[in-house]
Amino acid sequence: MSLNKHEMAALVARDIEPGSFVNLGIGQPTLVADHLPADAGIVLHTENGMLNMGPAAVGDQIDPDLTNAGKVPVTELPGSAYFHHADSFAMMRGGHLDVCVLGAFQVSAAGDLANWHTGEPDAIPAVGGAMDLAVGAKSVYVMMTLFTKDGTPKLVPECTYPLTGLRCISRVYTDLATFVITEDGVAVRETFGISFDELSSRLEVPLRQAQPA
């Protein structure tokens, strides 16, 4: 079976090193916060000005003034800190984040990212802080479905949508497979509900199987 968005988020969380400083992009990547081990010492940064954000708030925990960048109510962990938006972007641009996890419309075989505009005339552009994160974080992961609703691949030889960043993506987590993007091409780490051969036949990107870690 293919993975649902919570299972994808759990995979991403599994691969984040303890003690990392991490930004979770708007949308599905915010679910990663709910799957991080409490004792891992991972500090979540949100671009609207908070460090040490906790999981999503539920029930009586909800405070409408305490949200992440996607306006989703969140909790705060001991030691949380708040700061100006400009300081938040200085952290993003200054190389202080170990990992960021972003959504995407397309990722190229070279690791290029397109996640702010589909190029359609009626689409609303929304780059936000994605380009700052794409070039500022030490490692950039993407979490997305592998295909659009009409079956078009989102992992492509070259992006056809406006770019957010060049050669910035190192890992791609999808509902059907996880990928590692290297200088030697795209390697498949795991597949879910699909064989490697079928996956290769549905994508135009040349694939190889990743070596066991």
Side-chain angles (χ1 to χ4, degrees):
M1 296 291 292
S2 61
L3 302 182
N4 61 40
K5 58 187 179 181
H6 293 282
E7 291 169 328
M8 292 162 58
L11 282 183
V12 178
R14 178 195 67 183
D15 286 346
I16 296 176
E17 293 290 332
S20 296
F21 285 81
V22 180
N23 181 286
L24 303 177
I26 293 172
Q28 290 189 5
T30 61
L31 297 175
V32 174
D34 299 333
H35 296 276
L36 294 170
D39 60 351
I42 294 170
V43 177
L44 293 182
H45 165 278
T46 178
E47 65 193 60
N48 56 323
M50 182 180 180
L51 269 181
N52 219 22
M53 177 183 74
V58 295
D60 293 341
Q61 296 176 322
I62 295 176
D63 178 346
D65 292 324
L66 182 58
T67 68
N68 62 21
K71 304 299 185 289
V72 175
V74 295
T75 55
E76 57 182 2
L77 299 178
S80 294
Y82 302 91
F83 34 85
H84 192 277
H85 210 128
D87 295 321
S88 181
F89 271 72
M91 295 177 191
M92 292 156 56
R93 296 168 179 166
H96 303 290
L97 295 176
D98 297 302
V99 177
C100 76
V101 185
L102 298 172
F105 295 131
Q106 290 179 331
V107 175
S108 80
D112 301 333
L113 171 67
N115 79 338
W116 69 279
H117 202 308
T118 61
E120 295 296 325
D122 58 346
I124 300 173
V127 68
M131 60 184 175
D132 304 272
L133 290 164
V135 300
K138 296 171 186 174
S139 296
V140 185
Y141 303 162
V142 158
M143 177 180 165
M144 67 180 187
T145 56
L146 187 54
F147 298 94
T148 64
K149 292 180 180 179
D150 67 4
T152 302
K154 295 163 74 172
L155 181 62
V156 294
E158 294 184 6
C159 293
T160 56
Y161 294 153
L163 291 176
T164 307
L166 288 170
R167 296 182 178 272
C168 55
I169 305 302
S170 56
R171 296 183 187 176
V172 180
Y173 297 80
T174 77
D175 51 335
L176 294 174
T178 58
F179 304 88
V180 180
I181 297 180
T182 72
E183 293 182 356
D184 299 322
V186 180
V188 179
R189 292 178 65 192
E190 302 172 88
T191 59
F192 312 101
I194 190 172
S195 69
F196 177 84
D197 290 340
E198 183 181 355
L199 189 67
S200 297
S201 70
R202 295 184 62 184
L203 297 175
E204 296 180 14
V205 175
L207 302 175
R208 58 183 174 83
Q209 292 182 316
Q211 296 298 319

